[in-house]
Every structure is written in C-alpha cells, then in structure tokens.
Amino acid sequence: MSKVLVIDDDEFIRKSLYRLISDMGHDTMLAESLEHGMSCAEQGVDVIFLDLDLPDGPGQDAIDNLCATNGKPEIIVITGVGDNYGAQETLANGVWDYIRKPASPKTVSTSLKSALKYRQESSGRHDPQARLDACGIIGEAPATQRTKQHILRAAQSEASVLILGETGVGKELAAHAVHSMSRRRDKPFMVVDCSNLSESLVESILYGHRKGSFTGAHADRRGLVAQANGGTLFLDEVGELPMSLQKSFLRVLQEQRFRPVGSATEETSDFRLVAATNRDLEKMTEHGTFRSDLLFRLRTIELNMPPLRERVADIEVLARHFLSESCNRYAVPPKTLSRQLLKVLTGYAWPGNVRELANVMEAAVIESGAANVVYPKHLPSHIRLSFLDKPKKKRQQNPAQEMPLGELMPYMEYKVQRDRAYFMRLMEACSNDVSEASRLSGLSVPSIYRHLGMAGIPTPSRRRR
Ligand SMILES: Nc1ncnc2c1ncn2[C@@H]1O[C@H](COP(=O)(O)OP(=O)(O)OP(=O)(O)O)[C@@H](O)[C@H]1O
C-alpha cells in the first residue's frame, strides 16, 4: 500500500480522487490548500496529485518544496484548462505527469500506477539520494541540496538539460550525475569538448567518417554522436561551439540523424542531450554569436550550479575530502585542518570554485610536508592575504567612520588600535610563525617583533637559527 496525497481546493475532485485511489488500495490523504498539503507531505508520501490554482498560492511554486519532503514524492499535476502554466514547464520541473481536468478515472489510475511502478523499481535498485551521493557530489549547504534535487529530477526525464555556472563549480560532475541516475545509466556517456573542436576535423569527430573520404582517413571511424547511441551526449563548453557548426548540429539534435563524412546515407543515434557552459548564452544570442534556436533546443531543463561562495557551509567538508584525497595520492599519513585554516578557507571568495579548492588543498598537502596539521601558512599567499584584507567585523574596517564625533579618539590611539588589529590578524593567518608573517607582510622579522611589542600582542619566542 502506498501513500497518496491530493492537494486540490475543489471538494468534488478531492472526493472523487479519494474514492478512486482508496479503491486501488492506497492510503489517501486530502488537503484543500498548499499549507495543509505541505504539512501532510512532511509525513512522507509517495505520490502527490497537485492542483495548480490553490487558494494560498500557485501550486507550481511549491513543487520544489514538496519534492524535497521526507518521502521525496512523485508529483502529478492535475489542472484546469484555464491554467497558463503549461505541460512543458511542469514536466521540465521534474514533475512525473501532467493531467488536464476533467480527467477520466483511467487516466488518473494509469498515471498513478506508472509513478508507483517507477518508485518501486528505483527504490529496488537504490535510494536516489544514495545514488546521488555515489556520484561524488559532496556538500549539504541549502543551495547544494537544491541543486541535488534538480539533478535528481532532471535525471528522471528525457528532456535536454543545460547546466550553467562559473568555472569549476561542478558542471561536468552534475552532467555525469544526470546520466548515472537516468534510465540510460548502463549506456555510454560521451563528452564533446566544444572548446577543443578543430574546424577541419569537427565533422569527423562528431559524425565519424568513411575510409578514404579524406587524406588520412585510413579506416571507417564512428563519431561521438554514434557512440552516444542509447546513452547521453554531453556538450561541454557549448558556448564555444563554432557558429559554422551550430546550424547543422541543431538539425542533428532535433532529428537525431547524422551523416558520417564520405557516407551517402544518414544514420540515427538515440541520445539524451546534456550541455554545459560558463558563458551567458542569452547575451551571445543578442550579439549573434550563438543561435537562439539552438539555445531553445538545449535548455528544456536549466540547472544553475551555485558558486562556492554561495555555499560556504560546503567548504569545510569539501576541504577535508580533498585533503584526504591528496594525502592518499601522495601516500602521506592523514592530516587534519587547523581551526585558523578553516577560517581562512571560509573567508575566501573562491573565484575558481571547487576546482580551485581542490588544487589549494593539494598544494597545502605538499607544502605542509611531514606536519600532520595543515595551517594557514601552508596556503598560497594570495589566499592568506585576502584574509588579511578582509575586516573581521565592520567596526574594524574603519573604526573612525563609525565613531560619533564626540568620541573621536586621539590619532595616535586610533593608529595603535588599527595596528593591533592588523598584527593580530597577521599572526593568526601565519599561525604565530614570525618568519612567515615577515614574508607575508613585507616587514623584517625585527620589525614584526617591534610592532607586536608596541601593540601589546604576546610575542612567540624567537626561533634559534
Ligand atoms: N560538489 C562537489 N563535490 C566533489 N567534488 C566536486 C564538486 N563540485 C566539483 N567537484 C570537483 O571539482 C572539479 C571541477 O569540477 P567540474 O570539472 O565538474 O567543474 P566545471 O564546472 O565543469 O568546470 P569548467 O567550467 O571549468 O569546465 C572536479 O575535480 C570535480 O570532481
């Protein structure tokens, strides 16, 4: 017996669905509003029939939250003819099915049965969340959890997916996850790196060629499109796809037919398309460097990968992961991260995102040598400097600015306070290593000691040479 929730403000519909679903042997809950529906869904349900026009808001706005509830339910939208939120948008949002009212009992029961069958099969294989974790996507920050939910839903559909995000955010990882969680998981995942397609060989790389079709074509060769048959074709850096190729490629995407170079006949390939880019494709279409019809074809589902600075809560777990990965790679005993180092890492903006963090942790493992704790001094200096530049509290940024006129302190006193804040932060970033502080600040070692003394900061004992 499965648990089914009906969220609809129309009492007649609620009652009819209740009878139909209960007769099918399922436990049925009814809710007349989004708020009530959400509290029922929190109890864990398998399928939700969701009306879009509800008294306390549009149903489509609640799809994400309903999908994220305990039971990770499938959603079947059941909506009146007048609603302008269309089937395409709904399905692109990862909804299981879209039914128009008035719906026959057969339509409703068929849709419910297929959703439940899918759940049974997929839970038999694995818990979707566990499968997602197995795809190697680390992080539990709210923005990451939302992304994971979107990946899960994208994987359940067959629609084209366009993954957007800055460099190094994990777009390729997400594309892999969409494939590994889809019904095509046992078939090939073929990557086309569009930034690396040489104009002369591009057609042969994508569509293959026949022996003798050009100099150097010594044998028949299958292209990436043919190799993706049954699986997923991943167009990485799709914004770099040469304009000259965009038109012919659009046709291939639409018809799933292509002609190998030198062949008289066309071949077909049943592939699911996933593309990724860090470029602004909308803007590119405005500038005429990307075809709008191709963009339209690529982005049935859009997945936005948030930058690392918007999921600070993930930095620690990712840093630990890359630290342990690098320790294994370099066959050194496991290391731990110092508290100060975590502060520096979480305060940095990570323009290169997760890839930059992975590289930094690898460099820190090398830099820390035999030490079993990694300190800020093992980080590249630009990261430590950014920590120094960053005010701890607004007040320290410029104490004078926030000072009411009546409280203006004598300049020398103000300067002492500012210096003290700087040197405290410097020593924290350098884990109290004066030579390191000297290197980072550009001051001599004796000068550092002098400043520490003047600022009343306890001085670390001088190292013997
Ligand atoms: N959430 C994550 N958990 C674990 N590893 C991650 C995560 N996100 C990214 N990575 C790792 O970071 C590196 C960069 O990720 P990926 O290549 O997927 O980024 P990208 O957005 O495709 O980059 P680019 O735009 O430069 O092609 C990879 O080694 C990937 O495994």
Side-chain angles (χ1 to χ4, degrees), residues 38-95:
M38 188 56 79
S39 70
C40 295
E42 300 288 6
Q43 299 170 32
V45 296
D46 298 291
V47 175
I48 299 176
F49 282 91
L50 176 67
D51 182 23
L52 296 182
D53 188 17
L54 288 158
D56 50 350
Q60 60 268 32
D61 291 356
I63 292 174
D64 270 1
N65 290 337
L66 288 169
C67 284
T69 51
N70 269 341
K72 306 281 180 283
E74 302 305 327
I75 310 277
I76 299 174
V77 161
I78 177 154
T79 184
V81 178
D83 295 332
N84 55 11
Y85 190 68
Q88 199 184 0
E89 292 100 314
T90 319
L91 296 172
N93 245 337
V95 157

Side-chain angles (χ1 to χ4, degrees), residues 257-275:
R257 299 179 69 80
F258 61 97
R259 191 199 321 244
V261 177
S263 169
T265 50
E266 283 195 332
E267 294 177 14
T268 57
S269 172
D270 162 32
F271 57 85
R272 195 257 176 101
L273 183 72
V274 178

Side-chain angles (χ1 to χ4, degrees), residues 314-324 337 345 357 361:
D314 288 346
I315 293 177
E316 180 171 345
V317 60
L318 282 165
R320 288 189 200 288
H321 166 74
F322 293 125
L323 180 76
S324 116
L337 301 174
L345 294 183
L357 177 58
M361 294 321 296

Side-chain angles (χ1 to χ4, degrees), residues 136-139 144 165-174 234 236-237 276-278 305 311 314 318 321-322 353-356 358:
I137 302 181
I138 296 170
T144 312
E166 294 174 12
T167 181
V169 279
K171 297 187 292 296
E172 181 161 359
L173 197 62
F234 174 48
D236 200 8
E237 315 280 4
T277 184
N278 54 22
M305 305 287 295
R311 40 189 168 122
D314 288 346
L318 282 165
H321 166 74
F322 293 125
N353 291 293
V354 185
R355 180 182 295 110
E356 184 182 4

